[in-house]
Amino acid sequence: MPKISHFCAVDNVMGMKIGVLGAGHLGNIHLKLLAELQEWDVVGFHDPDIEKSKAASETYGIASYSSVDELVSECDALDIVTPTLSHFECAKLALANNKHVFIEKPITNTPEEALELVKMAADSGRVVQVGHVERFNPAFTSVREHCSQPMFIEAHRLAEFNPRGTDVSVVLDLMIHDIDIILSLISS
């Protein structure tokens, strides 16, 4: 079974057609940022909430697709920004249709689902990438070079309660960022 660490980014995304699943809070951020990137051709997005779809389409000038299948058929890569419980099925559909996949963290709800996606990606030659974006946070990148051999790491994540991520544990929703940053610093 291949390891997740064997995945790497697609070498050249220039002109690659991408679709976005989800137009909620994070989906809107993805739509906004993708629309600003000239390398990608954003073909559209799908969200089952008609009001969210209408608002996002008007805000970003991006087509709203009426079904996941229709969107998948039109793109080379799929950006999955749906609730975690649907990540596996969405990514499985994309990989079955030979599409590259970017998934908001956590990759899936269970380790077994994640391993199945890893195997599917390896078998298809497609890339699956997980959105561990905090390692690119300017606050972290500015101190990274000074953290060559940390001997003690303490992390605090303080925020008001947000019901957005209650479909998974706080470890998978938020602490996963801290774990990813630590793993990017320490080669053990």
Side-chain angles (χ1 to χ4, degrees), residues 60-177:
Y60 306 110
I62 298 173
S64 173
Y65 283 72
S66 59
S67 76
V68 174
D69 292 329
E70 184 184 7
L71 177 62
V72 168
S73 72
E74 295 295 320
C75 60
D76 304 311
L78 197 64
D79 181 1
I80 301 172
V81 199
T82 61
T84 301
L85 296 176
S86 66
H87 284 185
F88 176 69
E89 290 301 323
C90 294
K92 190 174 168 182
L93 174 68
L95 289 168
N97 284 278
N98 213 28
K99 310 301 179 183
H100 298 290
V101 178
F102 181 90
I103 307 176
E104 257 302 328
K105 57 79 194 152
I107 184 171
T108 59
N109 193 42
T110 69
E112 295 78 19
E113 289 175 344
L115 289 172
E116 187 172 337
L117 289 185
V118 169
K119 183 175 181 341
M120 288 181 71
D123 291 347
S124 69
R126 299 294 105 190
V127 171
V128 172
Q129 190 172 14
V130 182
H132 292 290
V133 297
E134 288 299 320
R135 71 170 74 167
F136 305 103
N137 183 321
F140 175 65
T141 58
S142 68
V143 299
R144 180 184 174 89
E145 66 185 61
H146 304 290
C147 298
S148 60
Q149 295 181 335
M151 297 183 66
F152 176 78
I153 298 173
E154 182 175 341
H156 296 271
R157 193 166 277 275
L158 307 171
E160 293 180 17
F161 174 73
N162 183 341
R164 176 197 55 78
T166 57
D167 61 330
V168 294
S169 72
V170 69
V171 172
L172 288 178
D173 187 44
L174 296 173
M175 188 177 179
I176 194 83
H177 286 300

